[in-house]
Amino acid sequence: MKINFVTLFPSFFDSILNESITKRAINSNKVEINIIDFRNYTNDKHKKVDDIIYGGGHGMLLKVEPIDRAIENLKGKKYLMSPQGTRFTQYKAKEMSLEKEITLICGHYEGFDDRVRNLVDEELSIGDYVLTGGEIPAMAIADSIIRLLPDVIKEISYINDSFQKNMLDYPQYTRPRVYKGMNVPEVLFSGNHKLIEQWRKSNALKRTKNRRPDLLKGVKNEK
């Protein structure tokens, strides 16, 4: 898979290129990362990529021309990072992980000339809040996609993740068995795998119902 990041600040992506699972995925040729500075696609001798807002308004808008030039020859689907976009989910991460190439476009300043929206396939948001730029959302989305690529991590490591089945994950514990009066549930020491599985499903359902009841829409009730 190839992931293109279109940005004004390429150095933002140093961490994702040089750390953890993403670095291993790059080194093993599971993913190719291409960082494009769209400042290089402006005809302005001062590399100016923003301008004043027609009709008045605070701040500066990113111009449509340099972004268009930066992405026009890229293959695959193009996604605009935007707080006005569709909420990014685990389901969307799985869908995008099946693509051969995607492009994540990062904004900055007061936003985009609205005509940029006509150049992309979809707008994506990671939540109902506004950040100073699209680089952090783009890295979050890329990270969630890369870990789902074949052989990047073992499938067993993510198959029961929160949101995989419209449910939050069940509680998990490790040593010590007792810490400051907090005990690990006895069922986990029973050796009865069927009973443990039932406990995990029940507690995943309970946690989802308490914390994210919206995820349970359309999910069949489990005993």
Side-chain angles (χ1 to χ4, degrees):
M1 182 183 199
K2 182 178 181 181
I3 301 177
N4 304 304
F5 293 103
V6 180
T7 177
L8 288 176
F9 301 96
S11 62
F12 259 91
F13 298 91
D14 288 348
S15 59
I16 198 171
L17 294 175
N18 297 304
E19 300 293 340
S20 190
I21 291 170
T22 301
K23 181 179 181 180
R24 296 202 302 269
I26 294 170
N27 291 341
S28 58
N29 297 316
K30 299 295 188 302
V31 65
E32 177 186 350
I33 301 294
N34 180 32
I35 299 177
I36 299 166
D37 184 346
F38 63 84
R39 197 183 300 275
N40 295 328
Y41 291 83
T42 178
N43 289 329
D44 188 282
K45 65 178 181 180
H46 301 295
K47 300 293 184 181
K48 186 176 176 61
V49 294
D50 59 347
D51 212 328
I52 59 172
I53 302 171
Y54 281 141
H58 179 71
M60 305 283 278
L61 282 183
L62 291 172
K63 299 168 70 175
V64 63
E65 301 102 320
I67 297 174
D68 187 23
R69 295 191 191 103
I71 67 175
E72 63 181 344
N73 293 320
L74 298 177
K75 298 178 181 179
K77 291 186 176 180
K78 301 174 178 67
Y79 299 91
L80 182 65
M81 304 298 100
S82 166
Q84 298 182 30
T86 303
R87 178 77 65 86
F88 182 73
T89 64
Q90 185 70 12
Y91 178 85
K92 188 65 178 179
K94 288 190 287 185
E95 179 185 292
M96 292 171 69
S97 71
L98 301 177
E99 301 287 342
K100 291 184 178 180
E101 181 172 344
I102 62 171
T103 297
L104 306 178
I105 303 167
C106 310
H108 236 80
Y109 309 128
E110 192 61 25
F112 295 92
D113 181 309
D114 209 67
R115 289 168 289 186
V116 172
R117 292 185 161 90
N118 298 320
L119 309 177
V120 303
D121 296 283
E122 190 173 350
E123 295 179 53
L124 293 177
S125 168
I126 61 169
D128 295 339
Y129 48 87
V130 179
L131 299 172
T132 54
E135 285 77 15
I136 291 174
M139 286 189 284
I141 288 171
D143 184 87
S144 66
I145 293 169
I146 290 169
R147 66 190 299 274
L148 298 177
L149 297 178
D151 301 321
V152 170
I153 61 175
K154 294 179 180 179
E155 185 180 20
I156 194 65
S157 296
Y158 64 78
I159 198 168
N160 290 317
D161 278 350
S162 291
F163 310 112
Q164 283 290 108
K165 299 175 182 177
N166 284 336
M167 300 262 279
L168 298 182
D169 202 357
Y170 50 79
Q172 298 187 84
Y173 304 87
T174 188
R175 296 175 181 173
R177 185 165 177 169
V178 180
Y179 182 70
K180 292 186 175 180
M182 296 179 285
N183 298 299
V184 177
E186 287 297 323
V187 66
L188 300 177
F189 301 100
S190 68
N192 187 328
H193 296 294
K194 184 177 180 179
L195 192 62
I196 290 172
E197 184 64 20
Q198 289 175 346
W199 180 89
R200 285 174 170 169
K201 285 183 177 180
S202 175
N203 278 272
L205 181 60
K206 185 185 301 182
R207 177 168 285 185
T208 306
K209 187 175 181 180
N210 289 337
R211 300 183 182 185
R212 290 293 305 276
D214 56 298
L215 295 175
L216 295 176
K217 293 179 180 178
V219 178
K220 294 181 179 180
N221 291 329
E222 295 187 43
K223 292 185 179 179

